[in-house]
Every structure is written in C-alpha cells, then in structure tokens.
Amino acid sequence: MPNASSSLNALQKQLSKLHQQINQYNHQYYVLDQPSVPDAEYDRLMRELINLEQTHPQFKTLDSPSQKVGGQPLKAFTQVAHQLPMLSLDNVFSRDEWQAFVKRLQDRLVTEHDIVICAEPKLDGLAVSLRYEQGILVQAATRGDGSTGENITTNIRTIKCIPLKLIGENGVDYPDVIEVRGEVFMPKTSFNKLNEQAKKKGEKSFANPRNAAAGSLRQLDSKITAKRNLAFYAYGLGYVGDLSEEDSGLSGQHFLKASHYQRLCQIKALGLPMCPEVRLLENPQQVEAFYQDILNKREALSYEIDGTVLKVDNIAQQEKLGFVARAPRWAIAYKFPAQEELTLVEDVEFQVGRTGAITPVARLKPIFVGGVTVSNATLHNQDEIERLGLKIGDSVVIRRAGDVIPQIVSVVVDKRGDDAKDIVFPKTCPVCNSKVAKAEGEAVLRCTAGLFCQAQRKEAIKHFSSRKAHDIDGLGDKLVEQLVDENLINTPADLFKLTEIDISTMERMGKKSAKNLIAALEHSKKTTLAKFIYGLGIREVGEATAANLANHFFTLTAIQAASFDALQTVSDVGEVVAKNIVNFFKESHNLAVVSALDAIMTWPDIIEKNADEQPLAEQIFVLTGTLNQMGRSEAKAALQSLGAKVSGSVSAKTHFLVAGDKSGSKLTKAQDLGVTVLTEDDLVALLAKYS
Ligand code: 5U1
C-alpha cells in the first residue's frame, strides 16, 4: 500500500512533469511559432494541472504555467511594458461547462436581471495592443507574457486595415491615449498561398494560420510582413486616458461607454475593424444558438476560428467580477470540438485502388476529432511519408476539418519511442502478388495486373454501380466484395448474370433485397453514353470528361476508334487523358467487358444535336477498300460525329460510297445503283469542311 508521503511524492513528480511539458509547449507556441502538439493536447495538460492545483492548493507555485500568460518576449525586439496587463482567456468545451460558468456569474453578480452577453468568434491569431496618442498609432506590441510584450510597431504599420491615424467619425472623439486590443490574423486564402509557396521552395510550412500570423509579425524585416496580407479585428481596450494623467487612467472615462459591445462599436467608429459576426445576446440562454450558428459558418468564413468568446457586456458587472491570475472572470472562450488531435500510428497497410494505385493507409489508435472517431488516414504515397518523416509507432497530429477526410498533419518526433519502425513499401501487389511499378514522373506505385487483380476488380465494379455511374440501388460495397470473393462476379458485365438465388445467399441479403437488386440491375440497363463511358472507370475520365467524349463522338464505336490526336480535340482531354483512353481500349480484357456490356445495355445511339452540328444527319455512307490517310474506323467515327450513318452494305438507300484502294464488289454495286462515289481525298475534304 502506498503511504501518504509516497503519494505526495508521486503528485509532486506529476506536477513537475506537467510544468516542464507545458513550459516546453508554451515556448514552441509563443516564441518559436512552431507548436509540436495540437491545441487540444495543450488544453488537456493545462486542465490537468489546474485540477491538481485546485485539489492540492499547497502545490500551486508562483512559477506554475497556470499563473502565466503566453511566453517570454523575443530578445530580437525591444520590450514594451503593458500599462494594463494583457490577459488570456479560460476555456470551456461543452454545454455543461458553459452552464457552470454562467452559474458562477449568477452567484457572484446576484442580479435579478438577465446577464447580457457580448458574443464574438474566437479568431486563431495573435493578440496585439495598439496604442494611439492624439489619434496617431505610436506603438504596437504583442502580448508576450501579459505584462511585457515585443515592440512590433514597424510591422503592424504594414497591415492595411490598421489605421495609422484614427478618424473622429459622427462626432466620435478620442481620448489622448487609447490602447486598442485585438487579434492579428492571416486570412485562409493568404495562409494557403503562403504554405504552397513554402512547399514549392522546399521550405517549412506553417502549422496553422495563427503561427503564420505570428511568424509574419515577428519578422525583423517589415517588408516581409507587408507581403503577408495580415488583417486585424479589435476586441477590447487597454489603457484609455490622458497623456498627462496616465497614472490615474481616469480621464478617458468620459469617452467610455458602459457596454462592451458599445465600446467595440466606438472603436469601429474610430476606423478600426470589428469582426462582423459579433452579436449582443439578451441572456446566456441565447449562447448555444450563437455557438451553433458560428460553428455552421466556420468553413465558409474567410478566417480561421476555433470557438466563440463570450463576455459579460455590462462593464460595471465586469468590474465586479474582476480577474483571476491569467484571465478575467467575466469572459470565457467556448471552444469548438478540436479539429486537431494527437494519436498513435499503430500500423501502416497498403490498399489497392480501382486504377491499381497502391496507397499506404495509417491504422490509428481511434481518436475523436472534428466530431467523429477516426481510425484510418490515407498517407497518399511515398513522397508524403517522406515529407512527414513518419514511422510506425509514431505520435501524430491528425486533423479533420469540416467534411474533409482526416489527414496526418505532422509527427511529434519528441515522442518517438525506440521501437518505431520504418514503413516499407511492398515489392509486389499486396492483393494479387503481381508486379508493381511506378510510372515515370509519378509518385504513385501501381499494381500492373489490371482487372486480373481482385482488388481492382472489386473497385471497378463498385465504380460501375456508383451513384454517378449506373446508380445500382442495393449494390453496396460490402456486397460487391462478397460477390467477388465468392467468384460470382469478375467484371461489371457479370452483374447482369446474377440470379435472385445467387444474391439471396449472400450475408444480410434476404429474398426481398435480392429481388429488388435484380430489378435495379434491370433498370440500370438503360443508360446514357456519358454514364456508360464514366462507368468504365478509365483513369482520369471523370463525369465531365465522359460527357464531353459522348457529346463529341456520339457513339461508343467512335470513342473506341478515336485516335490519340482525335481524342485531344475534345474539350478537357489532354495528352494524359487521351493516352489513358487509347490504352484502356487496347487491353483485350477491357474490350471483352465493354463488348459484353454493349450487348446488355442500351443508350441513345446518337445524341441529339442541333442541325448545325449534325451537317450529315440522315446521310448514309458506306466505306470500302483501303483508306490510306486514316483508318476505316477513324473515318467512320468522324462521319458519325457529323451525324452520318455508316452502314456495312450498299443499297438503294445509300447516299455515298467512299471507295479506297482495291475496292471490289461494293463499288460495282454502288455504280450500278447510281450511288455517289467519293474518293478518299473527297472524304478528307468533306470532313475538313465541317471540322
Ligand atoms: N474575440 C475575442 N478574442 N479574445 C481574446 N475577444 C477576446 N478577448 C480576450 C482575448 C484574450 O481577452 C479579453 C477578454 C481580456
């Protein structure tokens, strides 16, 4: 049994470890602008520390990170002592915690009235204090440790939306000295651009817009800051008063309104930007709706936010509530669920996709992030693994924002254990054991077996039946996998051979669902050429390209016969896509599937076009003999693309016979019937006329 002194010892050890860890994270975040762990991890450690200090107040020391705001100012800049401290905010993370905060407010204020709340988005930027004397910006400082910050005046002057001189709009005057506090931030578009440029130059990118903003403000060369397109929203005031009476700080009082929201409006009237999402709420009950509304808008906002800030609006009430060590009692940050979390890479597996691409996928220790539990993350390719410097067993930062698929953002190298293992790519396909290869200039490794690979077969069938292709209701991914595993289907064409009995023997498939699936398959037989082409799953032929091909060539035969050059005349089809199409139709196993499907499925043979685009509509052509300037199938496709019908035999209905070298009986018959005979040159001229 541990005795009292040994558990106190353990507690002290735990506290000292927390101090050391939080101090290290503070230094990385505030001083180096390079956090190694997500905010959620930092918040967790800080809460652990605060909880321990609350239950064991005798261990709460003056140098505890819980008593300090931010980090030490950088030596590179001169230091500025804040006339009034720049505080930080405590956080809540749930409705219950928010309600507990409200309860504390009510207990302290003992008011019968509702507590009016000023609600603001919490910007992911850098807190600064801007000092105006007689309306002129004379000094700008970072928060630093809350009492001393860095003098960043020269850099702040480069931010376009921060006025160098205040305006006295609508009779709003300003006191001799006014310190405006707020957040400098980098809009999302500028952040993405900056990181793209850094990547191109092989430089380190910023982990988030906050670090990018901080890094940009801490430039010794303000020309660099000027290029970074920073912005600013004001959220409060520091010292306000007369120059001659700075010590009392009272003479500014005539200027100041009794409501925080009104003060923000006053600051705005002086020419400083205020976030347009700020709202005045009649009571704390309205906060949940505000929180939800801002959370819904989050992705669409042009700047990054990580929660809301809720402030008691009445200044007299704020004063009554006062402060604790690092934060006011009258304000709280109600944070959104974390979009970044820390977890472990337990393994890396390799998946084979529809096009044979072998994708490494990290199997993660399940983690709740961005509102869902995540247990896998794609690693894309070898380059990505190298960029991350990832090993199996690593602690990683995982990000899931909005509907975006989860991503590994970085590796926390400090946490790497001795047993971390290198990620080794397979030498053969992990599914069919065939050869793998990397095409020149491509980062992706592929299985070379095409439809002979079971994984590619499954993916091809899933793609064929997907919503945008043939939308086969009731044919889910799991069922496709079972049907392939049971060898009941090998290609999309095999789907149409399935019987109700085949289907009803599969897991979770009853008679009724089997019947429905057969009906859905029957229904899917009638389609469009565009969907048919898309459903084939040719590499890089998406929905739009498939539609362009259908609209250009009108028939499957014409698309199959089109040359590399002819394909490139289609909008959106470049060399790569044209090559993919030609290669697809070269493969005998693809041709077998296409012709089997062609026999089963139907679509309008020629898509209706207006008369101008179909100059040869209703004209029946027959091709005979050897054509030297183009292949027969190419000539056929070209004629069909202009609306002509190309028939195999000459009759009285034939309008034109194109006679190449060594034409035989068809030429004689055409001459007998009085059909117009064209030479190959005539044909070329005709096609040129309409192309
Ligand atoms: N929007 C907003 N962000 N923010 C950060 N308001 C706000 N207020 C702050 C901080 C640190 O502090 C005051 C409540 C003192």
Side-chain angles (χ1 to χ4, degrees):
M1 275 261 291
N3 60 28
S5 99
S6 74
S7 51
L8 280 183
N9 246 341
L11 181 68
Q12 264 178 321
K13 264 196 192 149
Q14 192 184 352
L15 279 165
S16 137
K17 202 170 155 207
L18 279 169
H19 281 202
Q20 189 234 324
Q21 190 65 280
I22 296 174
N23 282 337
Q24 185 195 349
Y25 291 159
N26 269 339
H27 183 75
Q28 290 170 339
Y29 186 95
Y30 289 108
V31 181
L32 306 179
D33 299 323
Q34 260 182 16
S36 65
V37 293
D39 290 356
E41 175 68 7
Y42 176 87
D43 289 342
R44 208 167 10 251
L45 293 185
M46 186 60 98
R47 295 176 130 224
E48 194 182 329
L49 175 64
I50 290 169
N51 285 342
L52 284 176
E53 288 176 345
Q54 270 166 2
T55 41
H56 306 277
Q58 72 274 29
F59 290 125
K60 184 163 153 182
T61 55
L62 282 175
D63 68 345
S64 165
S66 67
Q67 304 304 299
K68 208 170 80 178
V69 177
Q72 296 297 321
L74 282 185
K75 292 279 177 294
F77 293 90
T78 57
Q79 302 198 350
V80 174
H82 297 301
Q83 206 164 335
L84 293 180
M86 280 187 83
L87 295 165
S88 178
L89 284 166
D90 277 339
N91 299 316
V92 293
F93 294 89
S94 66
R95 183 183 293 225
D96 284 354
E97 288 180 354
W98 160 246
Q99 282 168 355
F101 174 78
V102 173
K103 172 91 177 41
R104 290 199 293 278
L105 290 182
Q106 284 161 340
D107 289 349
R108 281 184 184 266
L109 290 175
V110 242
T111 165
E112 281 163 19
H113 300 288
D114 277 333
I115 302 170
V116 176
I117 300 287
C118 181
E120 308 169 15
K122 187 172 181 303
L123 273 84
D124 200 11
L126 186 79
V128 296
S129 185
L130 312 176
R131 185 177 170 99
Y132 289 87
E133 289 180 6
Q134 266 118 23
I136 305 294
L137 177 68
V138 293
Q139 188 178 69
T142 62
R143 178 162 54 201
D145 63 6
S147 38
T148 312
E150 296 130 25
N151 186 336
I152 49 161
T153 316
T154 321
N155 290 344
I156 283 288
R157 281 181 198 280
T158 68
I159 300 177
K160 292 196 188 80
C161 67
I162 295 181
L164 299 180
K165 187 175 185 317
L166 298 178
I167 49 167
E169 205 178 65
N170 301 331
V172 178
D173 204 358
Y174 40 79
D176 272 359
V177 182
I178 177 165
E179 285 180 1
V180 176
R181 285 169 180 182
E183 203 86 354
V184 168
F185 60 94
M186 185 176 282
K188 287 176 188 169
T189 45
S190 313
F191 170 70
N192 293 336
K193 221 184 268 170
L194 184 65
N195 268 357
E196 269 165 34
Q197 283 167 357
K199 254 188 195 169
K200 265 189 209 152
K201 289 189 208 157
E203 292 168 2
K204 231 178 142 82
S205 52
F206 287 104
N208 54 47
R210 189 255 162 215
N211 294 113
S216 305
L217 269 188
R218 290 209 180 107
Q219 290 293 331
L220 291 173
D221 178 359
S222 62
K223 283 196 213 85
I224 299 179
T225 315
K227 285 188 196 144
R228 296 282 172 90
N229 191 27
L230 296 172
F232 172 83
Y233 282 142
Y235 61 62
L237 290 170
Y239 175 83
V240 179
D242 273 0
L243 263 176
S244 53
E245 295 172 55
E246 279 198 17
D247 285 344
S248 74
L250 289 175
S251 64
Q253 297 301 317
H254 70 276
F255 165 83
L256 291 171
K257 301 276 187 205
S259 139
H260 175 77
Y261 181 76
Q262 284 175 4
R263 286 184 177 184
L264 291 184
C265 295
Q266 262 181 312
I267 297 172
K268 189 175 167 201
L270 294 177
L272 283 140
M274 159 185 169
C275 176
E277 305 300 331
V278 176
R279 298 286 179 272
L280 195 58
L281 309 179
E282 283 166 22
N283 54 53
Q285 292 78 53
Q286 293 182 357
V287 162
E288 281 303 332
F290 173 81
Y291 174 93
Q292 206 48 55
D293 182 46
I294 293 288
L295 183 56
N296 294 342
K297 281 186 187 162
R298 183 184 196 175
E299 291 304 311
L301 291 176
S302 59
Y303 43 88
E304 200 74 67
I305 59 170
D306 60 357
T308 59
V309 180
L310 307 159
K311 297 174 182 169
V312 170
D313 186 61
N314 183 296
I315 303 294
Q317 288 181 334
Q318 285 187 3
E319 281 164 2
K320 191 166 174 193
L321 288 160
F323 300 83
V324 283
R326 58 201 290 276
R329 283 204 194 89
W330 44 266
I332 199 92
Y334 186 173
K335 299 266 269 284
F336 294 147
Q339 289 186 320
E340 285 188 3
E341 271 292 358
L342 200 62
T343 192
L344 270 183
V345 173
E346 293 180 330
D347 201 0
V348 171
E349 286 173 13
F350 295 89
Q351 276 180 356
V352 184
R354 177 168 57 82
T355 58
I358 296 175
T359 310
V361 178
R363 303 286 178 221
L364 305 169
K365 183 166 174 220
I367 182 81
F368 190 74
V369 58
V372 296
T373 300
V374 171
S375 36
N376 303 310
T378 174
L379 291 165
H380 305 288
N381 52 47
Q382 192 144 17
D383 290 359
E384 175 72 357
I385 292 175
E386 275 163 23
R387 191 186 70 76
L388 288 166
L390 179 71
K391 290 179 185 245
I392 297 168
D394 269 343
S395 290
V396 291
V397 178
I398 177 117
R399 180 175 173 80
R400 185 186 179 270
D403 288 336
V404 181
I405 55 164
Q407 260 195 311
I408 292 180
V409 183
S410 56
V411 174
V412 187
V413 182
D414 291 353
K415 287 183 180 277
R416 179 172 287 162
D418 293 338
D419 51 353
K421 281 192 293 189
D422 284 340
I423 299 163
V424 183
F425 270 67
K427 299 266 179 291
T428 57
C429 171
V431 174
C432 70
N433 229 2
S434 303
K435 265 203 328 215
V436 293
K438 217 185 245 189
E440 216 185 280
E442 269 197 25
V444 182
L445 190 70
R446 286 179 201 277
C447 162
T448 54
L451 286 179
F452 296 110
C453 171
Q454 201 174 48
Q456 293 184 58
R457 249 184 267 151
K458 286 179 181 171
E459 295 310 312
I461 299 170
K462 285 179 199 169
H463 176 80
F464 178 85
S465 53
S466 66
R467 200 175 48 76
K468 289 178 184 168
H470 300 294
D471 196 15
I472 303 172
D473 220 19
L475 187 61
D477 289 358
K478 289 269 168 311
L479 182 57
V480 171
E481 282 169 23
Q482 272 188 74
L483 290 164
V484 174
D485 288 339
E486 295 296 324
N487 259 326
L488 283 167
I489 54 172
N490 279 318
T491 74
D494 295 341
L495 285 169
F496 299 96
K497 292 185 204 150
L498 287 171
T499 64
E500 271 181 45
I501 297 176
D502 291 337
I503 299 167
S504 58
T505 53
M506 297 294 110
E507 266 170 45
R508 285 191 297 276
M509 292 301 288
K511 264 192 180 165
K512 186 148 187 271
S513 32
K515 203 180 174 81
N516 289 344
L517 180 52
I518 293 288
L521 281 163
E522 198 53 40
H523 180 75
S524 74
K525 285 183 181 170
K526 204 159 170 208
T527 184
T528 63
L529 179 57
K531 283 189 178 190
F532 184 82
I533 295 297
Y534 173 70
L536 293 177
I538 305 168
R539 259 174 75 190
E540 289 175 62
V541 175
E543 248 186 313
T545 309
N548 289 345
L549 287 165
N551 287 331
H552 186 93
F553 291 109
F554 309 121
T555 68
L556 174 63
T557 330
I559 296 172
Q560 275 185 263
S563 67
F564 178 67
D565 291 339
L567 285 165
Q568 284 183 73
T569 62
V570 178
S571 94
D572 275 355
V573 177
E575 276 183 30
V576 175
V577 177
K579 202 162 140 197
N580 289 344
I581 298 169
V582 170
N583 287 345
F584 181 90
F585 288 115
K586 258 193 208 157
E587 295 282 352
S588 58
H589 55 263
N590 289 336
L591 289 178
V593 175
V594 171
S595 106
L597 287 172
D598 190 12
I600 297 164
M601 305 182 86
T602 59
W603 54 87
D605 202 29
I606 292 180
I607 291 168
E608 276 179 29
K609 291 192 104 196
N610 64 40
D612 279 349
E613 286 169 302
Q614 299 260 279
L616 302 181
E618 307 304 326
Q619 303 296 313
I620 300 173
F621 281 73
V622 174
L623 305 172
T624 189
T626 309
L627 299 179
N628 297 312
Q629 296 173 57
M630 63 180 89
R632 239 208 277 135
S633 40
E634 201 179 331
K636 182 177 172 187
L639 285 166
Q640 284 174 329
S641 78
L642 297 170
K645 285 208 167 105
V646 181
S647 167
S649 55
V650 178
S651 74
K653 288 187 188 157
T654 308
H655 296 104
F656 300 99
L657 176 88
V658 179
D661 286 347
K662 299 192 190 113
S663 295
S665 60
K666 284 186 190 165
L667 175 60
T668 324
K669 188 167 179 190
Q671 283 163 341
D672 288 345
L673 291 169
V675 171
T676 310
V677 176
L678 303 176
T679 62
E680 185 175 5
D681 284 342
D682 294 333
L683 175 67
V684 170
L686 180 76
L687 295 176
K689 186 173 154 196
Y690 292 120
S691 65

